[in-house]
């Protein structure tokens, strides 16, 4: 164990090994660090007091959080301790009873999502519902407003005879109609900031995108601290306490799904959703990455995600892929389905369909 | 004499409607409640309240008055009647929100005009003719498009019982179960709706879980569903605010520039 020789203050954010075989070794190192901490208790209390000068209880909590393991390596007792710690801290901070769920994936459940792109009218209600549910930052200054779902407005193409010989795809637009030698024309790339009086507009289609919950997620491959991983029932989740904010996952994600808390998150007390999950919508800190997790705090309890419930046209569908009678299974069996950027072999669990 | 009588009747009807509308508005102002619409404006609404301290039943959009979040998905619902060919859902796990009591014109129409008797001057054949009284009360009937002129009011509405619909066998259908009527023509959509592919449900996602089903008319307005200004069968509505612009960007005009003019 070569890492034992390094001083404690430089190893507090060392990458945890996700390999179960190395778990024992890892925990022994943590025990060593804890033992060292107990020995030099007086100096540590001094450090803790420096870290948070307000009160001793808060400092102890932060100290304990600082030394907790990666969520996947925690025992059930340690998870419970972390849950109680978080519940106490958030309840005090937001002035209401906050629950932090730590329920694990249930056998026989594999979550899947389907979206009817013919139905979507681009009203952005899913975007706002997601913010209400998942405790995103909602300030006004740059970087303080975070939304996980993006709705792309796309121009509709045209296949008229007059336009057959016009335009050549050399700009940023998307070629529509014709072939590589005689394209029919171009439409705009997706627009994020469209603000019409009323939607749906006549010449537009809308395409909402969020985390695709890939089966082979590129973000998980690149994470240097292995804090983001795929749960057994589908969603790719993040243990926010282990995130170092390096943003490797953000550049690896081909679907622009991940967001960074560059500023301290702004979350008003009365708007905070007190029903949270440890890997889901518990309040985040500055400097960590977050993303859609299919409302784990709801779906682990059997509820639909918030965006599904709020869609006014019923374009969003959610269900258990292992249940042949579920909505998503029936869609996969009956409708025309595609996955975004399927050529990247990420195998998303998010399907687009049309009828 | 007869004409005079009918004129006075129409006048009385208008007064009645106007009074009831004013009464409703006054009631709303007194309570000062937050009332938000669910799927489309004018179909179904929910009043905001607290279930538990700090947990509201709904959260509303400040810009559009639309429901954005459900704390209690089953509020104000009743068990749905049996759906044909669907016996997998346990009893009571499919619920709908009753709509009959929300229909503002039904009390007036059922009692004053169509009180179980066929009105005088009722056409013998089912040929669409404009009815001025109805057009005055329900403005969207003027540009009625459903069926493109081939069907009219009495193909769906019961001739003598105004709080009921009627299918094309003449059997009455409740306003709470419009799928039994709509599905007579739109059978493919009824099948998809039965299986959860078409339409909206909220509640538990398991296929046998308790869900609130949204019925046809909660999302579609059957009178002007084909309007040219409307798209995909839905009434146009105001969108929510766009995302935050990236740091340093003044506007999003670059998104609208065509790279190549054509």
């Amino acid at each position: 164990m070569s890492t034992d020789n390094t001083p404690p203050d430089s190893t507090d954010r060392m990458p945890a090994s996700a390999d179960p075989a190395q778990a024992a070794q890892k925990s022994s190192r943590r025990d060593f660090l804890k033992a060292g901490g107990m020995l030099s208790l007086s100096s540590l209390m001094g450090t803790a007091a420096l870290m948070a000068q307000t009160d001793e209880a808060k400092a102890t909590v932060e100290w304990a959080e600082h030394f907790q393991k990666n969520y996947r390596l925690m025992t059930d007792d340690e998870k419970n301790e972390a849950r109680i710690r978080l519940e106490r801290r958030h309840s005090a901070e937001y002035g209401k009873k906050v629950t932090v769920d730590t329920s694990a994936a249930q056998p026989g459940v594999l979550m899947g999502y389907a979206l009817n792109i013919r139905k979507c009218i681009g009203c952005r209600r899913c975007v706002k519902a997601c913010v209400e549910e998942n405790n995103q930052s909602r300030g006004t200054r740059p970087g303080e407003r975070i939304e996980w779902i993006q709705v792309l407005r796309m121009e509709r193409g045209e296949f008229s005879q007059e336009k057959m010989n016009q335009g050549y795809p050399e700009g940023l637009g998307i070629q529509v109609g014709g072939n590589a030698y005689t394209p029919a024309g171009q439409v705009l790339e997706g627009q994020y900031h469209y603000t019409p009086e009323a939607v749906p507009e006549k010449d537009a289609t809308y395409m909402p995108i969020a985390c695709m919950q890939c089966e082979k997620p590129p973000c998980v491959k690149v994470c240097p601290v292995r804090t983001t991983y795929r749960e057994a029932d589908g969603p790719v989740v993040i243990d926010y306490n282990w995130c170092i904010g390096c943003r490797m996952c953000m550049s690896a994600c081909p679907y622009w799904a991940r967001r960074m808390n560059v500023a301290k998150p702004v979350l008003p007390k009365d708007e905070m959703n007190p029903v949270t999950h440890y890997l889901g919508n518990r309040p985040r800190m500055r400097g960590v990455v977050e993303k859609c997790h299919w409302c784990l705090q709801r779906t682990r309890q059997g509820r639909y995600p918030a965006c599904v419930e709020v869609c006014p046209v019923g374009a969003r569908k959610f269900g258990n892929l292992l249940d042949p009678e579920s909505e998503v299974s029936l869609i996969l069996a009956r409708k025309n389905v595609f996955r975004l950027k399927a050529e990247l072999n990420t195998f998303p669990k998010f399907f687009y369909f049309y009828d | 004499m007869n004409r005079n009588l009918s004129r006075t009747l129409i006048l009385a009807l208008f007064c009645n409607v106007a009074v009831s509308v004013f009464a409703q508005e006054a009631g709303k102002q007194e309570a000062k409640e937050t009332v938000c619409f669910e799927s489309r404006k004018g179909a179904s609404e929910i009043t905001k309240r607290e279930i538990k301290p700090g947990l509201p039943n709904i959260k509303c959009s400040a810009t559009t008055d639309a429901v954005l979040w459900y704390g209690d998905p089953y509020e104000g619902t009743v068990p749905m009647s049996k759906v044909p060919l669907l016996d997998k859902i346990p009893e009571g796990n499919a619920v709908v929100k009753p709509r009959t009591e929300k229909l503002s014109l039904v009390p007036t129409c059922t009692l004053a005009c169509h009180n179980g008797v066929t009105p005088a001057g009722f056409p013998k054949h089912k040929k669409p003719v404009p009815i001025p009284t109805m057009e005055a009360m329900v403005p969207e009937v003027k540009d009625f498009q459903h069926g493109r002129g081939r069907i009219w009011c009495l193909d769906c509405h019961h001739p003598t019982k105004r709080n009921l619909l009627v299918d094309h066998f003449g059997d009455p259908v409740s306003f709470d179960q419009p799928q039994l009527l709509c599905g007579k023509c739109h059978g493919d959509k009824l099948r998809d709706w039965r299986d959860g592919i078409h339409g909206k449900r909220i509640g538990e996602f398991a296929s046998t879980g308790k869900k609130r089903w949204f019925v046809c008319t909660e999302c579609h307005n059957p009178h002007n569903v084909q309007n040219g200004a409307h798209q995909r069968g839905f009434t146009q509505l105001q969108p929510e605010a766009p995302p935050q612009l990236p740091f340093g960007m003044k506007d999003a005009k670059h998104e609208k520039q065509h790279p190549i003019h054509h």
Side-chain angles (χ1 to χ4, degrees):
Chain A
M1 290 182 62
S2 58
T3 50
D4 279 357
N5 298 329
T6 48
D9 52 343
S10 70
T11 54
D12 55 357
R13 280 293 191 187
M14 280 292 281
S17 171
D19 186 359
Q22 290 186 17
Q25 178 197 350
K26 186 58 62 183
S27 65
S28 70
R29 181 170 70 83
R30 298 235 159 245
D31 288 347
F32 170 79
L33 292 178
K34 270 183 193 163
M38 293 305 282
L39 279 175
S40 53
L41 192 69
S42 56
S43 66
L44 285 183
M45 287 312 285
T47 326
L50 275 176
M51 270 159 41
Q53 291 159 354
T54 47
D55 57 342
E56 206 167 308
K58 197 182 169 191
T60 328
V61 165
E62 284 193 357
W63 190 249
E65 277 185 11
H66 210 57
F67 266 90
Q68 78 186 31
K69 277 190 253 174
N70 186 321
Y71 188 73
R72 273 187 293 179
L73 300 178
M74 283 190 204
T75 61
D76 284 350
D77 288 343
E78 285 169 330
K79 280 180 188 173
N80 205 31
E81 271 173 35
R83 179 182 64 81
I84 292 167
R85 212 156 48 217
L86 278 176
E87 279 181 354
R88 199 176 293 146
R89 188 153 74 97
H90 291 320
S91 298
E93 192 176 340
Y94 295 99
K96 52 181 150 188
K97 179 90 186 68
V98 178
T99 56
V100 180
D101 189 7
T102 50
S103 56
Q106 297 300 310
V109 178
L110 182 63
M111 299 176 193
Y113 206 115
L115 195 148
N116 191 339
I117 39 169
R118 284 282 292 277
K119 287 264 156 45
C120 179
I121 58 170
C123 66
R124 291 203 193 96
R125 249 189 245 179
C126 49
V127 181
K128 306 294 170 188
C130 178
V131 173
E132 298 285 351
E133 171 72 24
N134 288 312
N135 293 330
Q136 280 103 319
S137 171
R138 52 201 85 173
T140 47
R141 296 210 312 255
E144 280 184 350
R145 219 171 109 199
I146 291 177
E147 289 169 357
W148 292 348
I149 305 174
Q150 292 171 298
V151 187
L152 283 165
R153 178 192 183 272
M154 312 245 193
E155 260 190 354
R156 251 183 218 178
E158 204 179 342
F159 288 95
S160 62
Q161 192 65 40
E162 304 85 61
K163 288 192 174 179
M164 280 305 280
N165 291 324
Q166 289 173 18
Y168 190 81
E170 52 190 19
L172 288 167
I174 301 159
Q175 177 195 339
V176 284
N179 55 39
Y181 304 103
T182 55
Q186 282 183 320
V187 290
L188 291 176
E189 276 201 333
Q191 300 169 38
Y192 299 102
H193 301 278
Y194 62 91
T195 47
E197 296 262 306
V199 287
E201 296 155 280
K202 262 204 142 145
D203 305 321
T205 51
Y206 303 91
M207 177 137 180
I209 48 172
C211 178
M212 301 282 159
Q213 319 292 1
C214 311
E215 216 170 297
K216 291 164 78 178
C219 52
V220 169
K221 285 183 198 167
V222 300
C223 182
V225 291
R226 301 199 187 174
T227 187
T228 183
Y229 62 99
R230 187 170 166 272
E231 284 275 295
D233 55 356
V236 175
V237 295
I238 304 167
D239 177 4
Y240 306 111
N241 282 69
W242 271 86
C243 180
I244 57 171
C246 68
R247 301 193 240 181
M248 296 269 275
C249 51
M250 287 175 74
S251 34
C253 176
Y255 305 104
W256 316 287
R258 291 179 164 251
R259 302 285 179 278
M260 173 79 178
N261 282 292
V262 286
K264 191 175 184 305
V266 179
L267 180 59
K269 279 181 184 176
D270 54 332
E271 290 177 27
M272 191 253 176
N273 179 11
V275 182
T276 67
H277 194 282
Y278 188 94
L279 300 168
N281 65 338
R282 67 182 167 108
R284 273 80 61 182
M285 37 298 215
R286 185 186 163 193
V288 301
V289 169
E290 59 185 61
K291 69 168 194 67
C292 164
H293 45 78
W294 280 348
C295 292
L296 219 58
Q297 67 283 356
R298 282 168 162 246
T299 48
R300 284 268 164 91
Q301 309 299 330
R303 273 284 292 279
Y304 278 117
C307 49
V308 174
E309 290 204 339
V310 87
C311 179
V313 298
R316 290 171 168 272
K317 298 287 163 198
F318 184 84
N320 183 0
L321 287 168
L322 302 181
D323 175 7
E325 298 295 323
S326 75
E327 297 162 18
V328 177
S329 299
L330 289 170
I331 286 165
L332 292 180
R334 278 190 207 160
K335 300 290 179 184
N336 303 306
V337 178
F338 71 91
R339 309 202 259 203
L340 192 60
K341 300 193 186 178
E343 72 277 11
L344 296 178
N345 282 355
T346 51
F347 299 104
K349 286 275 170 295
F350 193 105
F351 306 94
Y352 292 92
F353 74 103
Y354 51 98
D355 43 16
Chain B
M1 179 64 195
N2 204 353
R3 191 174 287 173
N4 275 343
L5 187 71
S6 64
R7 273 183 190 159
T8 43
L9 259 179
I10 289 169
L11 252 178
L13 189 79
F14 273 128
C15 293
N16 211 344
V17 170
V19 164
S20 66
V21 165
F22 283 131
Q24 276 178 5
E25 279 182 357
K28 266 180 197 172
Q29 277 173 358
E30 274 171 26
K32 272 191 182 172
E33 293 162 328
T34 321
V35 181
C36 310
F37 70 97
E38 289 185 280
S39 188
R40 71 175 169 96
K41 250 180 192 166
S44 55
E45 286 167 340
I46 301 188
T47 311
K48 193 174 178 178
R49 60 179 181 84
E50 281 208 335
I51 311 171
K52 278 186 271 180
L55 186 69
N57 63 338
I58 47 160
K59 288 181 187 171
C60 295
S61 163
T63 47
T64 60
D65 285 341
V67 174
L68 281 188
W69 185 85
Y70 286 95
D72 176 15
Y74 314 118
E75 191 183 326
T77 53
V78 295
M80 186 170 66
S81 71
K82 283 229 176 257
V83 178
L85 294 174
L86 191 76
D87 44 9
K88 293 177 190 96
I89 297 176
E91 196 76 31
N93 267 13
V95 293
V96 291
K97 207 168 185 187
R99 300 200 63 228
T100 308
E101 64 223 39
K102 299 271 176 188
L103 301 169
S104 53
L105 287 173
V106 159
T108 321
C109 296
T110 335
L111 295 175
C113 304
H114 306 275
N115 193 9
V117 292
T118 314
F122 188 72
K124 293 277 185 290
H125 48 80
K126 277 186 160 187
K127 200 178 164 192
V129 284
I131 308 174
T133 335
M134 287 298 164
E135 281 178 7
M137 288 194 306
V138 190
E140 64 215 25
V141 171
K142 251 180 210 161
D143 58 341
F144 180 77
Q145 300 140 0
H146 200 156
R148 297 196 178 92
R150 289 180 191 85
I151 63 170
W152 75 309
C153 318
L154 295 178
D155 286 315
C156 298
H157 289 276
H158 201 282
T160 55
K161 297 171 192 153
R162 272 295 182 265
N163 54 352
L164 288 174
L165 301 166
V166 66
D167 68 6
H168 55 201
F169 296 123
D171 299 327
V173 174
S174 164
F175 270 97
D176 304 340
Q177 318 284 339
Q179 70 273 8
L180 301 175
L181 165 66
C182 306
K184 299 278 174 184
C185 294
H186 306 282
D188 56 334
K189 293 285 175 283
L190 179 68
R191 191 187 73 151
D192 278 357
W193 180 80
R194 179 195 73 199
D195 296 337
I197 299 174
H198 183 102
K200 172 178 174 176
R201 295 178 196 177
I202 62 177
E204 294 166 3
F205 73 80
S207 54
T208 52
K210 186 179 180 185
K211 294 172 197 199
R212 177 187 158 196
W213 297 40
F214 280 65
V215 296
C216 317
T217 45
E218 281 180 88
C219 303
H220 305 287
N221 185 345
H223 294 140
N224 56 5
V225 72
Q226 287 185 336
N227 196 332
H230 303 170
Q231 298 267 306
R232 296 158 231 192
F234 305 109
T235 317
Q236 285 188 307
L237 36 89
Q238 189 195 346
E240 302 289 336
Q244 194 179 30
L245 284 166
F247 181 62
M249 197 182 281
K250 293 281 182 291
D251 52 35
K253 277 182 189 161
H254 66 283
E255 286 187 345
K256 292 183 182 168
Q257 283 165 2
H258 270 272
I260 293 173
H261 296 282
H262 61 83

